Amino acid sequence: MAREFSTVGVVGLGTMGAGIVEVFARNGIDVVAVEISAPALERGRATLKGSTDRAVAKGKLAEADRDALHERVHFKVGLDALHSVDLVIEAVPEHLDLKQRIFAELDRVCRPETILATNTSSLSVTEISVATSRPNQVIGIHFFNPAPVMKLVEVVRTVVTAPEVVADVEALCARLGKVDVTINDRAGFIANALLFGYLNHAVGMFESHYATREDIDAAMKLGCGLPMGPLALMDLIGLDTAYEILDTMYRRGGRDRRHAPVPLLKQMVTAGLLGRKSGRGFYTYERPGSPVVVPDEATPLATESALADGARAITKVGVVGSGTMATGIIEVFAKAGYEVVSVTRGMEKSAKVCEAVKTSLNKGVVRGKLAEADRDAALGRISWSATLDHLADVDLVVEAVVEELSVKKALFASLDEICKPGVVLATTTSSLPVIDVAMATHRPADVVGLHFFNPAPVMPLVEVVRTIRTSPEATATARAVCAALGKTGVVCGDRSGFIVNALLFPYLNDAVKMLEASYSTADDIDHAMKLGCGYPMGPFELLDVVGLDVALAIQRELYLELREPGFAPAPLLEHLVTAGYLGRKTRRGFRDHSHR
């Protein structure tokens, strides 16, 4: 039988500590809440009061329950108040020497059978435990912020943590209504080890002026369905906290360069730009602690009209290709009021594309998202062709043919001869260098990447890729077209993976490496990222949907271009692809889908 915890101590009443106090008190457990001084104690009390009052205002907590919750919490100054509790959780700042001092003192104060836990997100639980004479009763209990809301708890055992201590804490997590994943003591555990490499990479993109903060954040929210963009998330976490976690992971985790904090991060911390809590980080906030972003000198001006940027007028669009992406793009342009010329290799393929567009538009009508008259008007704007010569009078061409450079270059050389001057030529490539395609023409200034996401009619994001030869007018035209389509266009340079794939796939590859190292299971890793970070899908769910062969191809491209050792594809990913386990499409990937 797991032991019953009737009183729990919490040391440190910042945002996280106060949240942990609330979690225990909400679940009928008496809490001794401890701070270093009376003013700090009052701040902690105010944080708890503010959180519970907000819960009452939102109808998520009854007033009587709130009052009962507060009666269970006993605020005290000094660790001596913890002499009779069953469990202590420490939630002080991420400094090893500070935590070791506290644990040495807790070891002296607490009863011999008391479990001592740390909420550290990055430091070694083992190094903290050796400050005590009872390392077998020391464990990591890593809550996520905000603790009352977030479902995940990482339970971190060291090589000497007693199995019954682990079992007792797992049972406690269940009593608190949390989902626990139990793991060994390794830098970053699951969630932070996967999250912070991605966040650091995003800061590097911003530092190198590869894309704006708004475009990086919009790309990851709209392209991956994430609850927040990486730079807004850094501001929420706190840049100083993020720096400490990355620095610790770099030193403890094998000195992976991707965890070495980007220099800009250190500069911002030194300058006091810590994110929301200081009122200024990557974004500027209404006041310190406020979530409300206000415009600053880096905010793009909404008043800038596309035509003022030199955007060209577009009325007629050519779409070349007959696959799913081409079909979706034809539908998107036709619904937005553009005349569309669809060009395929042969009338048989044209008939198939026409049928696919009709089917999709009809679904829109059935679902009540499109009026019959609008469907008929959209179809009336499309003309079907099997020859590129019919693109002689269009204003924009979007190419969506097979992802082979030789095929795309030959196509663009033909378009160069056929199309009138000033036409913007766009490629939908997701992995090839746009400049290679552009240089197959005599007009590289007019060539851009327009990377739509699948399915194009649904996904709101388009990556607008400018090469070093793309003119500002062509970029402005592409942005204006995205806006006219009701899409969000994000502008980035011509680099492998653009924004979304360059940030997403190394994270997925890291998850595969974590599984390969037997650190955790696919289920626990997926739980950690969905429940701890709010991701719509776990990495292994997503890999099985995307296709392991697709993921491997993208990861190889990233590795070849950036030559970053941490980007080398995980051997397990290569082995699964070789074995023909490609995900849902073959009914077997990281999981078996044959029964679904």
Side-chain angles (χ1 to χ4, degrees), residues 321-332 334-335 342 344 347-365 367 370 375 378-379 382 384 454-457:
S322 56
T324 309
M325 189 51 88
T327 306
I329 292 169
I330 291 165
E331 180 184 333
V332 167
K335 281 201 297 200
S342 162
T344 62
M347 290 316 289
E348 196 178 320
K349 278 194 161 47
S350 278
K352 277 187 178 168
V353 175
C354 177
E355 205 49 49
V357 171
K358 278 182 182 167
T359 301
S360 180
L361 289 169
N362 283 335
K363 276 184 187 164
V365 172
R367 289 175 183 157
L370 191 67
R375 172 199 62 193
L379 284 169
I382 308 168
W384 309 96
N454 204 6

Side-chain angles (χ1 to χ4, degrees), residues 126-301:
T126 309
E127 286 183 48
I128 293 168
S129 75
V130 295
T132 75
S133 62
R134 55 175 106 178
N136 60 322
Q137 283 172 245
V138 176
I139 194 165
I141 305 180
H142 179 219
F143 287 85
F144 286 73
N145 199 10
V149 176
M150 299 299 277
K151 280 283 192 196
L152 183 74
V153 176
E154 289 176 321
V155 176
V156 186
R157 61 180 169 224
T158 73
V159 286
V160 295
T161 307
E164 59 270 21
V165 169
V166 177
D168 290 344
V169 168
E170 287 174 339
L172 176 63
C173 290
R175 180 179 167 190
L176 298 175
K178 301 293 185 186
V179 175
D180 75 89
V181 293
T182 300
I183 44 181
N184 296 324
D185 184 21
R186 190 180 107 165
F189 314 137
I190 296 175
N192 283 356
L194 295 179
L195 179 67
F196 276 84
Y198 150 72
L199 294 178
N200 201 38
H201 190 179
V203 177
M205 264 188 190
F206 176 70
E207 181 187 53
S208 66
H209 302 289
Y210 178 67
T212 65
R213 63 190 182 183
E214 286 86 0
D215 281 358
I216 292 169
D217 280 355
M220 297 315 289
K221 282 168 66 180
L222 301 176
C224 300
L226 301 186
M228 292 181 85
L231 302 178
L233 180 55
M234 283 289 244
D235 276 359
L236 175 63
I237 291 166
L239 273 58
D240 50 344
T241 305
Y243 180 85
E244 291 289 343
I245 290 172
L246 281 164
D247 190 49
T248 304
M249 281 172 50
Y250 175 72
R251 285 185 284 105
R252 281 188 64 209
R255 300 192 178 269
D256 183 336
R257 279 207 316 245
R258 290 170 315 134
H259 292 145
V262 169
L264 175 65
L265 200 52
K266 182 70 180 286
Q267 293 159 20
M268 291 176 76
V269 171
T270 306
L273 306 176
L274 307 182
R276 281 191 193 182
K277 60 186 168 191
S278 69
R280 181 97 192 245
F282 289 104
Y283 295 90
T284 301
Y285 298 87
E286 203 170 41
R287 61 182 180 277
S290 168
V292 180
V293 174
V294 294
D296 57 23
E297 66 280 0
T299 305
L301 296 173

